[in-house]
Amino acid sequence: MSSSYRNRIQEFNVALKEEKINLQALRELCFSGVPFEGGIRALCWKILLNYLPLEQTLWDSFLKKQREVYSQFLKEMIIQPGIAKANLGLSREDVTLEDHPLNPNPESRWNNYFKDNEVLLQIDKDVRRLYPDMAFFQRPTEYPCLLILDPQNEYETLRRRVEQTTLKAQTVDRNRSGVTNVSSPGKAQNLYPSNEYEVLPNGCEAHWEVVERILFIYAKLNPGIAYVQGMNEIVGPIYYTFATNPNSQWKEHAEADTFFCFTNLMSENRDNFIKSLDDSQCGITYKMESVYSTLKERDMELYLKLQEQNIKPQYFTFRWLTLLLSQEFLLPDVIRIWDTLFSDKDRFDFLILVCCAMLILIRDQLLAGDFTVNMRLLQDYPISDVHTILRKAKELQDGA
Amino acid sequence: MQQEHLFKVLVIGDLGVGKTSIIKRYVHQIFSQHYRATIGVDFALKVLNWDHQTVIRLQLWDIAGQERYGNMTRVYYREAVGALVVFDVTRASTFEAVLKWKDDLDTKVTLGNGRPVPAVLLANKSDQSREGLCSQLPKLDTFCRDNGFVGWFQTSAKENTNIDAAARCLVDNILANEESAGVDSDPDVLVLPGLNNNTKERGHSRCATCSKF
């Protein structure tokens, strides 16, 4: 470790020891990247994302409270419905004349249960393929959720629920073809082809299963937005940062802390995910266009080239902006970019400049390329050194 | 005289039916169980040496499957001349969505002559199909006739089954449309004589260079 890097860590340690954190000073420090050592990054993100209060003395009690709140969510939204479902086979007390699985009433608990299953299956498809190029999300967590995995609990876990729902779909198929052979639930696992749906043994859970739970709880608590593809790519880097925290006291609570930080981040970013806002001032279309209007101010020639080739901002900035660039770079680089984005007071104005910087840095290639070449450059961005990109974005911000 | 065609082809269908896998197999001859969810749109190019006289460049537009992305499709569909509509034979709901996708396509893009763009139906993941949906597949002939698909194929990106055939079928239909419409009426495709000055986009970039002072 170089002495300048040691000094930098020291600067962070000093800033984070203040009884009341000086947010402005911390933002300035974080803008140029946050050290991972000692859990500094995980702590800074919690502050920058407005999760932790600035008064250090409040942290312990605050975190204790939030983690209890999260446990309560798990109980209400996963465990209790799971118990109700498991009991169905025994007592059938949930099946009454008023409410039963075929009840079409939107108030019906059963109706909700089936709707939730649709959301759960969508989440499930996406979290299994989160960062497929790295092993982390497939590995078991050191801290499986004890509440969920308690062997005393005989209830339907999310894992079981996904299996059951997939199974049901198959039973229907068979019925339609006139074959009345109903598969036994015990075979559920064999239904999945090859290793597409490999799961860890009971008592273990993979990191992707934790991410799945976070997204499911978020969808339940925010029914107006529920789950939109891409949210998994926003949770991923936050969860990774918290779940690899060298400070194990914090690491243990990665799930609850990620949930709240994700919720806070989404409160600033969620309009991008809402279809009905697409064409409003706060929606994604406006942001995509501001990448082009900013580019127009900074590099007219390049702007005109993209216009002339009819390369619409929708063709690439949609993904860049909604996912905060998380699919464009390797995870460590994404995390480095997020250090800077999270430290931006005017949250995500800087992201527009980063997108512009990315375009300007490959201007020579873009000016020489045809439509196909350029679309591939933009879809598979060629520069991997994010420091160059961030430096260029900062230049643009400073009006250089 | 060699001809070069540039065709924009859409790949649409519900989330998780294997659109990305089909394109990766077709273009790069690879398969993985784990492609990240497509957000917005992905883009790929396949060059076909169709016959001695014809080179075809297929621009494949891989469109995100979730309903949320519906507003974007109008921009993504523009100037397309063909589509592959994909469903997953192991999930009935993805077949039920096929008509919704076809309808979305037909309301947002048409050929120069006002006719719908040719669409081929892909019954994907055939390597995993169980008796259930498979026994229904013969009925797809009628389904395609009734709903304006030019054909259907049982495909597997994993085992590389029928993907080339499905694309060939689509290209045949696109070419037939070209011929019947006459070369000039479709602004999306230029057929130029000679080997060297071929596609529209190259023409464009040359113009840009010229107009640069």
Side-chain angles (χ1 to χ4, degrees):
Chain A
M1 197 186 291
S2 71
S3 65
S4 68
Y5 192 67
R6 254 198 306 272
N7 288 341
R8 194 157 163 74
I9 291 177
Q10 193 48 33
E11 278 183 83
F12 273 94
N13 284 334
V14 170
L16 292 168
K17 283 227 164 54
E18 303 272 343
E19 204 167 296
K20 184 168 191 301
I21 304 286
N22 179 339
L23 186 58
Q24 187 47 39
L26 186 70
R27 279 198 175 120
E28 279 165 26
L29 267 179
C30 292
F31 186 85
S32 344
V34 186
F36 157 86
E37 284 78 5
I40 294 176
R41 171 176 281 131
L43 182 56
C44 287
W45 281 19
K46 287 181 181 109
I47 297 168
L48 294 173
L49 292 172
N50 309 321
Y51 178 46
L52 280 177
L54 296 178
E55 290 79 11
Q56 182 132 208
T57 47
L58 299 177
W59 288 359
D60 282 346
S61 59
F62 174 80
L63 286 171
K64 189 161 176 284
K65 194 190 88 215
Q66 292 303 100
R67 290 159 184 172
E68 273 163 20
V69 169
Y70 186 75
S71 293
Q72 201 52 39
F73 289 155
L74 292 180
K75 283 180 197 148
E76 279 168 32
M77 279 163 248
I78 296 180
I79 297 178
Q80 280 162 13
I83 291 173
K85 183 72 193 339
N87 284 343
L88 177 66
L90 304 171
S91 67
R92 301 200 165 256
E93 64 189 11
D94 272 7
V95 183
T96 62
L97 279 178
E98 290 75 41
D99 201 4
H100 50 80
L102 296 178
N103 186 350
N105 185 338
E107 299 292 303
S108 155
R109 274 171 57 204
W110 280 103
N111 197 359
N112 284 331
Y113 177 83
F114 293 126
K115 270 211 208 96
D116 289 347
N117 280 349
E118 281 170 35
V119 174
L120 178 61
L121 283 191
Q122 288 200 351
I123 296 173
D124 191 74
K125 274 221 160 285
D126 290 347
V127 288
R128 286 172 193 265
R129 45 184 179 161
L130 185 59
Y131 286 97
D133 44 353
M134 59 189 288
F136 173 80
F137 287 97
Q138 303 298 324
R139 281 208 217 107
T141 165
E142 286 168 72
Y143 303 100
C145 180
L146 296 177
L147 206 57
I148 296 281
L149 295 178
D150 183 354
Q152 303 294 310
N153 267 340
E154 269 293 319
Y155 77 95
E156 193 187 54
T157 57
L158 290 187
R159 188 192 281 184
R160 187 103 185 93
R161 197 161 160 181
V162 169
E163 285 166 0
Q164 288 284 345
T165 311
T166 317
L167 178 72
K168 246 181 239 124
Q170 192 205 17
T171 313
V172 171
D173 297 344
R174 295 203 172 195
N175 286 343
R176 282 188 181 172
S177 64
V179 182
T180 48
N181 184 10
V182 179
S183 332
S184 77
K187 285 194 201 150
Q189 242 144 324
N190 301 337
L191 290 173
Y192 298 121
S194 61
N195 55 0
E196 187 182 5
Y197 280 76
E198 209 165 4
V199 287
L200 296 169
N202 283 335
C204 288
E205 50 179 8
H207 288 295
W208 66 259
E209 291 182 271
V210 181
V211 175
E212 176 167 69
R213 202 155 48 226
I214 292 169
L215 286 166
F216 183 72
I217 300 283
Y218 183 82
K220 289 285 292 170
L221 286 171
N222 298 273
I225 172 169
Y227 171 72
V228 177
Q229 282 197 301
M231 285 183 186
N232 57 329
E233 307 275 354
I234 306 269
V235 178
I238 303 177
Y239 176 72
Y240 177 84
T241 299
F242 293 175
T244 56
N245 193 334
N247 181 336
S248 59
Q249 252 182 307
W250 293 81
K251 180 156 111 174
E252 192 181 339
H253 299 285
E255 178 175 350
D257 293 345
T258 302
F259 173 81
F260 289 108
C261 286
F262 170 70
T263 302
N264 287 359
L265 181 58
M266 285 300 289
S267 73
E268 302 172 39
N269 202 30
R270 58 181 280 161
D271 292 353
N272 290 345
F273 289 89
I274 299 175
K275 192 176 165 188
S276 57
L277 294 179
D278 277 352
D279 296 319
S280 76
Q281 270 276 301
C282 49
I284 184 71
T285 308
Y286 180 77
K287 285 181 195 147
M288 291 190 288
E289 275 160 11
S290 42
V291 174
Y292 268 30
S293 57
T294 311
L295 180 68
K296 189 178 171 186
E297 286 165 26
R298 304 308 173 108
D299 191 337
M300 180 63 99
E301 190 186 2
L302 181 55
Y303 166 79
L304 289 174
K305 178 76 182 180
L306 296 176
Q307 286 287 349
E308 174 204 288
Q309 289 188 340
N310 229 328
I311 297 181
K312 305 271 172 205
Q314 284 89 339
Y315 296 173
F316 61 100
T317 60
F318 183 82
R319 189 176 72 206
W320 288 10
L321 294 169
T322 47
L323 305 189
L324 311 177
L325 297 168
S326 73
Q327 273 194 359
E328 313 311 312
F329 302 99
L330 296 174
L331 186 57
D333 297 324
V334 171
I335 288 172
R336 171 61 195 88
I337 294 177
W338 286 19
D339 285 340
T340 300
L341 292 183
F342 292 170
S343 71
D344 177 16
K345 181 164 58 64
D346 305 307
R347 206 62 60 84
F348 310 126
D349 282 0
F350 195 73
L351 177 60
I352 306 273
L353 294 173
V354 175
C355 294
C356 265
M358 287 170 66
L359 293 170
I360 292 170
L361 285 169
I362 56 167
R363 73 184 303 275
D364 291 347
Q365 285 159 278
L366 289 170
L367 288 172
D370 62 18
F371 177 89
T372 305
V373 168
N374 286 350
M375 278 298 287
R376 285 158 129 187
L377 280 171
L378 297 169
Q379 288 262 336
D380 190 6
Y381 190 75
I383 298 176
S384 55
D385 176 12
V386 294
H387 294 98
T388 310
I389 295 166
L390 291 170
R391 208 176 310 125
K392 184 76 195 172
K394 179 77 177 120
E395 266 175 48
L396 294 175
Q397 189 182 42
D398 297 340
Chain B
M1 186 166 89
Q2 182 152 2
Q3 296 186 331
E4 186 165 317
H5 296 264
L6 175 68
F7 294 141
K8 173 170 173 177
V9 168
L10 307 170
V11 182
I12 54 180
D14 266 9
L15 88 156
V17 297
K19 298 178 290 296
T20 305
S21 297
I22 286 172
I23 292 173
K24 298 269 185 195
R25 167 62 82 186
Y26 186 52
V27 176
H28 305 291
Q29 289 85 41
I30 50 167
F31 178 77
S32 154
Q33 303 273 9
H34 305 290
Y35 293 116
R36 295 165 91 157
T38 305
I39 306 301
V41 64
D42 267 345
F43 176 88
L45 183 78
K46 171 87 175 179
V47 179
L48 296 171
N49 292 310
W50 190 252
D51 56 32
H52 291 307
Q53 285 94 43
T54 323
V55 173
I56 290 176
R57 290 153 64 87
L58 282 186
Q59 275 181 7
L60 296 157
W61 292 62
D62 180 2
I63 312 287
Q66 202 184 25
E67 203 271 340
R68 182 261 171 273
Y69 298 106
N71 286 344
M72 302 293 144
T73 55
R74 190 176 296 278
V75 184
Y76 298 150
Y77 289 180
R78 3 175 323 150
E79 297 179 354
V81 295
L84 300 172
V85 183
V86 187
F87 73 97
D88 171 352
V89 291
T90 68
R91 285 187 295 144
S93 65
T94 64
F95 176 69
E96 284 150 23
V98 160
L99 288 182
K100 191 201 75 186
W101 282 103
K102 181 71 164 68
D103 193 51
D104 191 50
L105 180 71
D106 291 343
T107 53
K108 290 176 179 166
V109 62
T110 50
L111 297 175
N113 58 12
R115 297 238 313 271
V117 305
V120 172
L121 182 63
L122 272 58
N124 193 39
K125 306 198 188 178
S126 63
D127 55 286
Q128 292 173 30
S129 66
R130 305 170 289 248
E131 305 130 50
L133 275 181
C134 262
S135 62
Q136 303 285 320
L137 289 178
K139 294 184 189 160
L140 284 180
D141 285 336
T142 322
F143 178 85
C144 284
R145 221 172 313 133
D146 292 349
N147 295 291
F149 288 93
V150 298
W152 70 274
F153 291 83
Q154 206 172 339
T155 58
S156 162
K158 187 177 178 188
E159 292 174 354
N160 197 14
T161 314
N162 270 340
I163 291 172
D164 285 333
R168 248 193 326 269
C169 167
L170 184 64
V171 171
D172 271 331
N173 277 277
I174 295 171
L175 284 169
N177 279 333
E178 290 302 305
E179 278 159 25
S180 68
V183 172
D184 296 334
S185 65
D186 191 334
D188 206 32
V189 179
L190 293 190
V191 183
L192 300 171
L195 275 170
N196 298 321
N197 55 341
N198 16 41
T199 62
K200 184 180 168 187
E201 43 182 80
R202 275 195 218 161
H204 263 201
S205 56
R206 196 172 46 249
C207 289
T209 328
C210 297
S211 63
K212 242 193 336 182
F213 318 118

